[in-house]
Amino acid sequence: MALARPVVFGNWKMNGSAADGEALCRALAAKAASGLEGTLGVFPPAVLLPRAGAWLDASPVLLGAQDCHGEAKGAFTGDLAAPMLVEAGAKAIIVGHSERRQYHDESDATVRGKAEAAIAAGAIAVICIGETEAEYVAGETLQRLEAQLAGSVPDLATAATVVVAYEPVWAIGTGRTPTNAEITAAHGFLREQLVARFADGADFRLLYGGSVKASNAQEILHLANVDGALVGGASLEADGFWTIYEAGLGG
Ligand code: 13P
């Protein structure tokens, strides 16, 4: 079964001391103590995963990891395998983030292998795609999304094992977002592609990511085919992140 809407995930990226992480996790756990109608998740740096699990305690806040290797084990110094991340408490793993594609030269095939590894380890693969600014300006957004979706999402994907995050590269950390019409067009296109390829394509969760914050979450999270958000900077502060989650409730 797909995750309950809204799905709001916080990607901490390479941020968060143990003290910061503990305060954030404990604050979110307290807010979620009486239960969650949707899905709220945090994706701390891997070294904090076991402790984050303890800080979240028995709360329903989902714990996830950022990136994994495509192999389950082996001679890959410095890398982390999906089964290790799952053993450390991760229920979901972000793969194909544009920062990995850009700074670590990850191809669609690499991302697909990582997604397969995450799923094989029992985690949900959160697969990120998105056009660059040059592609956006050239009007090539949908072609880029079509190619990335086809290349990065494995054939064995289901709505229960894969979440797709649309993150325009130019909107990440910039304070700029596409127009509502552009987000609606991109998500509608992704939905069509998923429905054409997968029997349960209508149920896949589609997240928007890129400069989501408390002040724009309400309008973005209620656009057609937007099931939630993948939040970077604004996920590092508990009240603001919780406001984003609450903005997605209802409808
Ligand atoms: P910002 O929310 O900081 O723009 O980052 C988005 C992102 O990359 C989440 O994965």
Side-chain angles (χ1 to χ4, degrees):
M1 223 177 59
L3 296 168
R5 298 180 71 253
V7 178
V8 176
F9 284 163
N11 174 11
W12 296 6
K13 307 191 179 185
M14 200 172 71
N15 295 295
S17 63
D20 294 340
E22 176 169 9
L24 183 48
C25 286
R26 288 199 191 280
L28 293 173
K31 290 175 187 293
S34 55
L36 287 174
E37 186 183 324
T39 309
L40 186 72
V42 292
F43 292 70
V47 288
L48 294 181
L49 281 173
R51 279 178 284 176
W55 298 329
L56 291 171
D57 200 8
S59 90
V61 178
L62 179 148
L63 182 61
Q66 307 167 24
D67 191 52
C68 65
H69 197 277
E71 299 292 332
K73 62 177 174 145
F76 301 103
T77 301
D79 281 314
L80 294 168
M84 297 171 181
L85 297 169
V86 169
E87 196 173 59
K91 302 276 188 285
I93 302 175
I94 294 170
V95 296
H97 193 282
S98 65
E99 288 147 17
R100 300 291 314 179
R101 293 178 186 264
Q102 185 179 349
Y103 304 129
H104 297 267
D105 282 331
E106 293 190 4
S107 66
D108 287 331
T110 304
V111 174
R112 187 172 64 241
K114 291 182 175 209
E116 287 169 348
I119 295 166
I124 293 169
V126 182
I127 302 174
C128 304
I129 56 175
E131 82 283 4
T132 62
E133 176 141 38
E135 290 161 346
Y136 172 71
V137 170
E140 292 166 1
T141 297
L142 299 187
Q143 291 102 294
R144 190 77 195 108
L145 295 184
E146 181 173 7
Q148 286 187 323
L149 193 74
S152 304
V153 178
D155 290 333
L156 51 71
T158 68
T161 58
V162 164
V163 169
V164 174
Y166 167 51
E167 299 203 306
V169 177
W170 55 273
I172 294 175
T174 59
R176 296 164 59 207
T177 58
T179 64
N180 290 347
E182 287 169 333
I183 296 174
T184 305
H187 279 241
F189 179 77
L190 292 172
R191 180 68 70 203
E192 277 171 25
Q193 301 285 310
L194 290 169
V195 166
R197 183 171 165 201
F198 299 103
D200 62 350
D203 298 326
F204 276 60
R205 295 310 186 214
L206 282 174
L207 313 186
Y208 168 77
S211 296
V212 175
K213 47 189 187 241
S215 58
N216 63 14
Q218 179 75 32
E219 56 174 328
I220 291 174
L221 287 171
H222 293 282
L223 296 173
N225 288 306
V226 175
D227 300 307
L230 183 54
V231 186
S235 75
L236 297 172
E237 193 270 313
D239 287 342
F241 186 47
W242 183 258
T243 300
I244 293 170
Y245 164 73
E246 283 197 312
L249 290 171

